[in-house]
Amino acid sequence: MTVKRLGILTGGGDCAGLNSVIRAVAKCAISRYGMTVVGIRDGFEGLMGEPRTVSLTTYMVKGLLYRGGTILGSSNKGDPFAYKRIIDGKVVITDRSDEVIENIRNLELDALIVVGGDGTNAIAYRLFQRGINVVGVPKTIDNDLAATDVTFGYYTAVEIVTEAIDRLQTTAESHHRVMVVETMGRNAGWIALESGLAGGADIILIPEIPFTMEKVVEAIREREAMGRRFTIICVAEGAKPSGGNQVIREIVKDSAETVRLGGIGEQIATWLNEEKVAECRSTALGHIQRGGSACAFDRNLCTRLGTHAVHAVAEGKFGQMVVLKNWKMDLVPIHEAIAKIRHVDPEGDLVRSARDTGVSFGD
Ligand code: F6P
């Protein structure tokens, strides 16, 4: 079948690079295949009720390569197969997938490119099973999809955190303080590990390696014994103490996520202050890690993913996700791609290199 009208949506939490993908998809689809490209607003939400769309002409995508966020908008609330609403304080779940499918048909979309994380791509796969021609593009700053070498948005987040650590190093040294910086990453420690390593953090705490405060204190004292009167701790939001639990900031009712993590950095800082281990301050970088323009690596990855997704559409390779495998573009079935989360290997060479250069993991 020849695809004439192509839809694209961005779903889930945003990250740097989404606009670069939108630009690549529109430019390639129009110039190479003469397709009409239709942008859907706010993820799958834009396909429920009255459809909300925007025509993505070459003019419309000008200047998007380096612009942060997504011009289409995104949402992590609109799972059409389990749409959550709060009615009279209670969570009510309805299946609105028929509405989405009807809207896709009414918009005469021959195919749909879905840019999102595991949740958004899981929805895409269910739509594919219902007969919609879907191609997925993986996105998340957490870098936790095993099917791809790296997800876009991740290295931009690592750059942002690294720069923050660089800045914290100088103020920590001036005041002889312990500085705790908390990163995002959900249940994976990639951002904390790679930015902690690049920024020269002394202690890195990640979900994959449970820590104890005794070992954290030991590492601070070891530095003091060497005349280093300041310490940087880089902690992933999902890190947890040995035998303990992750710190949950919020139980989420109206979204596909069930909990929102965050607060471990502040807890560690409070404990170190209260126990008089050291004067300590904490910084949680939060959504700063997802905002702003993408780094060069991510921009080029987005251009490759976007164009490759369009070629997959043109070749009728539906139900597939575009990935980077051994640093080349590849396709894997969406259901396989979202089935496996990639965690940091505690025995892997990244962790080993960190340990070999004196980093403590608090274990
Ligand atoms: O999955 C991306 C991510 O940024 C996580 O690292 C973080 O836990 C979560 O999303 C935050 O979600 P929200 O934007 O809903 O607060």
Side-chain angles (χ1 to χ4, degrees):
M1 128 203 225
T2 308
V3 173
K4 294 199 185 85
R5 272 172 75 80
L6 172 63
I8 175 170
L9 65 80
T10 52
D14 72 340
C15 69
L18 286 165
N19 276 330
S20 316
V21 176
I22 295 168
R23 169 187 177 268
V25 165
K27 282 194 144 200
C28 180
I30 295 165
S31 69
R32 289 273 176 257
Y33 300 103
M35 294 175 191
T36 298
V37 185
V38 179
I40 291 144
R41 295 205 184 270
D42 302 332
F44 290 106
E45 296 260 6
L47 289 170
M48 287 182 261
E50 190 60 34
R52 286 175 291 125
T53 62
V54 56
S55 166
L56 291 177
T57 58
T58 311
Y59 181 78
M60 275 293 288
V61 300
K62 266 190 202 312
L64 285 192
L65 184 58
Y66 37 82
R67 186 161 147 196
T70 160
I71 57 160
L72 295 178
S74 191
S75 169
N76 52 12
K77 295 190 175 161
D79 178 352
F81 292 94
Y83 194 81
K84 288 186 189 174
R85 269 180 283 219
I86 313 286
I87 299 173
D88 296 334
K90 285 200 189 115
V91 182
V92 178
I93 299 176
T94 38
D95 184 342
R96 300 181 68 185
S97 56
D98 285 345
E99 249 176 87
V100 168
I101 289 167
E102 201 182 309
N103 273 328
I104 291 173
R105 301 244 153 89
N106 290 344
L107 290 166
E108 296 178 339
L109 299 179
D110 303 310
L112 184 64
I113 290 181
V114 173
V115 189
D118 50 355
T120 305
N121 274 290
I123 298 166
Y125 183 67
R126 291 185 74 179
L127 289 175
F128 169 69
Q129 287 179 311
R130 299 271 312 268
I132 302 298
N133 294 330
V134 169
V135 169
V137 178
K139 159 251 57 158
T140 167
I141 64 163
D142 304 337
N143 197 32
D144 57 357
L145 268 187
T148 183
D149 293 340
V150 64
T151 52
F152 74 83
Y154 168 66
Y155 274 119
T156 302
V158 168
E159 288 294 334
I160 293 166
V161 179
T162 302
E163 203 215 316
I165 296 174
D166 288 350
R167 289 176 185 276
L168 289 170
Q169 291 274 13
T170 60
T171 173
E173 188 167 17
S174 305
H175 286 272
H176 317 299
R177 283 174 172 159
V178 172
M179 287 295 198
V180 183
V181 55
E182 181 184 300
T183 72
M184 281 188 166
R186 275 204 296 190
N187 299 315
W190 293 107
I191 301 175
L193 175 57
E194 286 223 65
S195 53
L197 194 55
D202 309 293
I203 302 170
I204 298 175
L205 306 176
I206 57 174
E208 294 84 350
I209 306 177
F211 64 91
T212 67
M213 285 313 291
E214 290 71 38
K215 289 288 176 188
V216 169
V217 174
E218 201 176 291
I220 295 169
R221 296 288 180 242
E222 269 173 26
R223 279 180 58 75
E224 285 168 356
M226 291 186 304
R228 311 295 279 160
R229 295 173 63 202
F230 69 99
T231 294
I232 302 289
I233 303 176
C234 183
V235 57
E237 63 178 2
K240 53 176 183 276
S242 185
N245 297 314
Q246 290 175 322
V247 179
I248 293 171
R249 186 182 294 284
E250 194 188 345
I251 306 277
V252 187
K253 283 192 176 155
D254 61 347
S255 144
E257 301 285 341
T258 49
V259 295
R260 204 160 280 145
L261 297 172
I264 181 80
E266 190 56 38
Q267 277 198 3
I268 290 172
T270 302
W271 190 90
L272 290 171
N273 278 321
E274 283 176 2
E275 296 295 315
K276 302 206 177 345
V277 175
E279 188 183 4
C280 188
R281 298 286 188 273
S282 79
T283 304
L285 294 174
H287 292 81
I288 290 169
Q289 295 159 89
R290 299 204 327 222
S293 57
C295 66
F297 176 86
D298 277 336
R299 290 181 201 182
N300 292 345
L301 178 58
C302 290
T303 298
R304 294 173 75 189
L305 289 167
T307 53
H308 208 75
V310 172
H311 296 314
V313 164
E315 289 160 22
K317 294 176 177 161
F318 300 118
Q320 305 282 312
M321 183 191 277
V322 189
V323 295
L324 187 69
K325 211 67 218 157
N326 301 320
W327 302 100
K328 289 202 174 94
M329 284 293 120
D330 205 350
L331 290 169
V332 286
I334 295 177
H335 65 283
E336 277 176 29
I338 56 176
K340 204 158 166 243
I341 294 298
R342 181 188 34 229
H343 287 283
V344 170
D345 176 3
E347 310 300 328
D349 69 87
L350 209 47
V351 171
R352 204 171 330 121
S353 292
R355 289 193 197 275
D356 291 345
T357 49
V359 172
S360 163
F361 283 86
D363 61 336

